[in-house]
Amino acid sequence: MSVVRISDDAVALALGADALAAAFERAGASVERVSSWGMHWLEPLVEIDGVGYGNATPGDVPAILAGSTPSIGKIADHPFIASQQRLTFARAGKTRPLSLDDYKASGGWAGLEKARAIGPEATLEQVIASGLRGRGGAGFPTGIKWKTVAGAQASQKYIVCNADEGDSATFADRMVMEGDPYMLIEGMAIAGLAVGANKGIVYIRSEYPHAIGKMRAAAEKCAGVIAPFTVEIAVGAGAYVCGEETSLLNSLEGRRGEVRAKPPLPAIKGLHGQPTVINNVLSLAAVPWILAHGGDAYAAYGMGRSRGTMPVQLAGNVKHGGLYEIAFGISLGELVNDIGGGTASGRPVRAAQVGGPLGAYIPVEQFDLPFDYEAFAAADALIGHAGITVFDDNVDMKAMARFALEFCAEESCGKCTPCRLGSVRGMEVMDEIIAGRDVEKNIALIGDLSDTMKFGSLCALGGFTPYPVMSAIRHFSEDFKAQPATEDAA
């Protein structure tokens, strides 16, 4: 009998994958738990001899084993998968997450071996040549950050992986840690070799118990492979602001998670006052492919200054929610309508928010916008972690604008006045707008407040809050117009 493959990704588990696997085992089938393909709308997804059966339940097991139930065909040939350019997620759906044999057989450790062969300086040059930029938000060139740490004189340096994935519609970091943990560890070991660091720390938010378990097990199993580099797993308490690098460092040091004023930069004075590379999961996970295939090969993907591929995450009111890795340059409309299939509700798409709860709301009139850091910046928008939340025409943009301010007020560390007070005052003004009182005056006030937050906040939490607020007002002005008073109101 053929092997039945079922993901043990958190999405699959939440939808009953364990019960499904147990049902196959009771029926006499051999079951392997593998990483997720990223086709979340089809989970739990069963694969037998490459053929997929979506949304399977224990009751479907006899029919699936008998071959008498419809399939989605070969998973690798499905348009959602076949049209991708998978570099970081090349193993997704194909390997057992904690199998060292599977990892090595699929090209694992080739990047680390290459880095050891060519040495630190040449390794650093390959990362610079790749054009890799931070995949967590700001898009800062990864190689430049590494070069700064490499040039610093210190007895101890650190590689810190920011796995505090807290944005709405984002799950790529979780998928890497749960599905391909050795790839992340390999990327960190390569970074350590390049800059002269022998210790790495992965900071994971506490809401990711499966990722924490996988990373701890993987770090223990591959310790001999990456030595003398070591990896420690640290667990955060769930504060959104700890996704900001200096707040994260404070948390690691046992301090309150609040923003540090810069300079000094963490690359000069980071964890415990030592030079520290802080990179997002997706940045570090891209490094093994770059070293194994060469920086120029990676730079051949993408457009402009946005090189390589981006694992885009589709969520919200979308028909085909999941992970889609593609080179920079694809349009937002293609991602939402062609890949995502439009709304799950079947109603017209009205907006997409890109970049988490602090990303701009982009109207369908701008869906020709290419997925590129500079193009988004020119449109007063953010790519961020590349999470896309889709909304249909029932969305109330006043409520969404208020949510952004409420979110900032709730998650602010309180260190700086523009963020701490601006978000609260912004909620109060937005409530006045929603109530229809002095709408034009209050919209102007929101604009002034947003400028103060954008340019006066110490970190991106306060600085980016104006993006969803002002984009909602600018692109969906009809939602903010004062409504005529009713007889009852009079």
Side-chain angles (χ1 to χ4, degrees), residues 47 136 143 219 380:
E47 181 183 358
D380 278 334

Side-chain angles (χ1 to χ4, degrees), residues 300-315:
Y301 293 88
M303 65 176 285
R305 291 179 51 220
S306 301
R307 312 312 307 177
T309 61
M310 187 70 187
V312 177
Q313 298 123 95
L314 297 167

Side-chain angles (χ1 to χ4, degrees), residues 230-375:
T230 62
V231 171
E232 173 188 332
I233 310 304
V235 180
Y240 181 80
V241 76
C242 286
E244 191 277 332
E245 60 184 14
T246 62
S247 297
L248 186 155
L249 292 177
N250 274 348
S251 180
L252 280 176
E253 292 175 357
R255 305 171 188 269
R256 177 178 174 176
E258 65 179 15
V259 178
R260 299 178 184 177
K262 293 184 280 190
L265 297 170
I268 303 297
K269 189 177 180 180
L271 185 64
H272 304 306
Q274 302 302 314
T276 303
V277 168
I278 305 182
N279 280 138
N280 174 267
V281 170
L282 297 181
S283 306
L284 291 163
V287 169
W289 194 97
I290 290 169
L291 265 293
H293 297 86
D296 290 340
Y298 190 80
Y301 293 88
M303 65 176 285
R305 291 179 51 220
S306 301
R307 312 312 307 177
T309 61
M310 187 70 187
V312 177
Q313 298 123 95
L314 297 167
N317 190 342
V318 67
K319 187 176 181 181
H320 298 151
L323 182 133
Y324 190 87
E325 185 178 357
I326 193 71
F328 286 98
I330 188 172
S331 75
L332 179 59
E334 289 177 89
L335 287 167
V336 172
N337 296 316
D338 299 341
I339 308 304
T343 65
S345 64
R347 297 186 63 85
V349 175
R350 190 181 187 204
Q353 186 179 32
V354 184
L358 305 182
Y361 291 101
I362 301 174
V364 292
E365 292 79 13
Q366 292 187 1
F367 272 22
D368 59 345
L369 193 63
F371 223 69
D372 164 77
Y373 286 111
E374 279 63 48

